[in-house]
């Protein structure tokens, strides 16, 4: 049964954009996670659940993708709607049409837009000019959809979120930013370690610390300090899309930040290992860790489908 509070949250979320976790309250995020777990249960039981019949989601991709594209396309289809793949090479956006014009035109055709691109400012401009919900599928600054699935995975495995410690080891990129914000919102401790010059953006760290209530956010260059007593260990590739030319240089700089058997000894004995994928075994993580008993990376990847279905239902339903 849907409670009065949940009905209020449904009304709050309807038509809202999903650009960064900073825009969402703890209550809204918990509602989305509860919905994601319920939608996953229906899916596993073979229950047809199609609240978005007749709805159309436009999927704009300026960056290539496996999990984001497939999970959104499969998700909107399973919900009874249709997904339209819109490569920036195939639409006028890629030929210089202003983002504002694209937003206004697509708003008259679609019920929602998911965009995976480079600049966060482009996503914000799209949302500002669209009259339909805009979902950030990834930018260089944030990756909120991934963290929604991450939080779902941790809750499934640990039975709670508040009070747990997440240690993120590696480049202070979009994953580090969104994971830090998500942890702060959920009352989780967060620590991260990277070489000097590769730590998270200081302005985003400041925002996360401002919303953290009674929990610690630790930024360090020492991976052992960051991972000490962690409930969850998380890493990502050292060179993300667009940074391929820095690969060799980063391999040298990050050599001491590999998640391996020696490093994980400093975490709790029942730690979870997580990675947003794709992974480079032998670089940021050794094969024995990512393929070992503590790893939940494929459960985490699957949850992209269920978390995003919950998001689409909330925003587009």
């Amino acid at each position: 049964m849907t409670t009065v509070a949940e009905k209020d949250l449904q009304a709050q979320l309807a038509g809202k954009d999903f650009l960064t976790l900073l825009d969402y309250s703890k209550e809204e995020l918990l509602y989305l996670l509860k919905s994601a777990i319920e939608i996953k249960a229906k899916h596993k039981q073979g229950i047809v659940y199609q609240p978005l019949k007749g709805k159309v989601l436009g999927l704009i991709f300026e960056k290539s993708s496996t999990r984001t594209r497939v999970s959104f396309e499969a998700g909107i289809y399973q919900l009874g709607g249709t997904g339209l793949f819109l490569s920036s090479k195939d639409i006028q956006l890629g030929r210089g049409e202003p983002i504002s014009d694209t937003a206004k035109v697509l708003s008259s055709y679609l019920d929602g837009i998911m965009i995976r691109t480079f600049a966060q400012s482009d996503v914000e401009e799209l949302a500002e000019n669209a009259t339909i919900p805009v979902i950030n599928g990834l930018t260089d600054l944030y990756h909120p959809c991934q963290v929604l699935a991450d939080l779902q995975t941790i809750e499934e495995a640990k039975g709670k979120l508040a009070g747990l410690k997440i240690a993120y080891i590696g480049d202070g990129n979009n994953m580090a930013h969104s994971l830090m914000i998500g942890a702060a919102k959920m009352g989780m401790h967060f620590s991260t370690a990277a070489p000097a010059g590769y730590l998270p953006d200081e302005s985003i760290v400041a925002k996360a610390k401002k919303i953290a209530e009674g929990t610690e956010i630790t930024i360090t260059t020492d991976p052992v300090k960051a991972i000490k007593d962690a409930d969850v260990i998380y890493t990502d590739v050292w060179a993300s899309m667009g940074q391929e030319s820095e690969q060799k240089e980063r391999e040298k700089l990050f050599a001491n930040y590999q998640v391996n058997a020696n490093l994980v000894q400093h975490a709790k004995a029942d730690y979870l290992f997580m990675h947003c994928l794709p992974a480079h075994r032998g670089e940021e993580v050794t094969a024995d860790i990512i393929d070992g008993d503590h790893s939940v990376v494929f459960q985490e990847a699957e949850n992209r489908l269920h978390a995003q279905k919950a998001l689409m239902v909330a925003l587009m339903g």
Side-chain angles (χ1 to χ4, degrees), residues 65-289:
S65 167
T66 298
R67 279 150 292 276
T68 299
R69 177 176 177 180
V70 176
S71 58
F72 268 108
E73 284 198 27
I76 188 67
Y77 175 79
Q78 290 170 11
L79 293 169
T82 302
L84 297 179
F85 175 73
L86 305 170
S87 166
S88 60
K89 297 174 184 176
D90 301 325
I91 60 176
Q92 298 300 330
L93 192 64
R95 299 179 62 210
E97 181 176 58
I99 292 172
S100 57
D101 287 0
T102 297
K104 291 168 187 173
V105 171
L106 292 183
S107 293
S108 67
Y109 301 151
L110 306 171
D111 300 287
I113 300 170
M114 190 290 306
I115 180 168
R116 182 178 171 94
T117 187
F118 295 89
Q120 180 71 16
S121 59
D122 287 352
V123 177
E124 291 170 357
E125 185 179 353
L126 186 72
E128 186 178 339
N129 289 277
T131 56
I132 55 177
V134 172
I135 298 170
N136 178 2
L138 174 143
T139 65
D140 289 343
L141 207 58
Y142 297 115
H143 198 354
C145 288
Q146 177 65 54
V147 173
L148 202 58
D150 294 339
L151 293 173
Q152 179 186 347
T153 307
I154 296 168
E155 186 169 345
E156 288 174 344
K158 292 291 187 180
K160 65 175 186 175
L161 294 172
L164 298 179
K165 176 181 176 179
I166 302 179
Y168 177 90
I169 309 298
D171 187 29
N173 58 14
N174 49 12
M175 269 313 315
H177 294 157
S178 286
L179 201 61
M180 177 168 49
I181 295 164
K185 291 271 185 181
M186 294 294 104
M188 305 171 77
H189 303 289
F190 178 85
S191 61
T192 184
Y198 295 87
L199 293 165
D201 184 285
E202 290 182 3
S203 66
I204 296 175
V205 173
K207 290 174 183 176
K209 286 184 175 180
K210 190 174 181 180
I211 59 175
E213 297 182 5
T215 56
E216 294 180 5
I217 293 178
T218 303
I219 312 296
T220 179
T221 57
D222 183 350
V224 173
K225 179 181 178 181
I227 211 167
K228 183 172 175 54
D229 296 327
D231 297 283
V232 180
I233 300 170
Y234 203 117
T235 192
D236 191 8
V237 293
W238 292 335
S240 299
M241 281 180 283
Q243 299 171 335
E244 289 83 1
S245 62
E246 303 173 29
Q247 178 69 35
K248 294 300 180 185
E249 178 187 357
R250 284 171 175 257
E251 284 178 14
K252 294 176 184 175
L253 286 168
F254 283 88
N256 293 329
Y257 295 84
Q258 183 187 71
V259 178
N260 53 36
N262 289 331
L263 188 59
V264 301
Q265 287 179 2
H266 300 280
K268 287 185 179 174
D270 62 346
Y271 76 89
L272 299 179
F273 175 77
M274 303 181 75
H275 193 304
C276 55
L277 302 179
H280 295 165
R281 287 167 174 77
E283 290 181 22
E284 74 273 8
V285 60
T286 53
D288 60 313
I289 299 298

Side-chain angles (χ1 to χ4, degrees), residues 5-16:
E6 286 176 335
K7 285 181 179 178
D8 289 342
L9 287 167
Q10 286 175 351
Q12 280 177 216
L13 292 170
K16 188 171 180 175

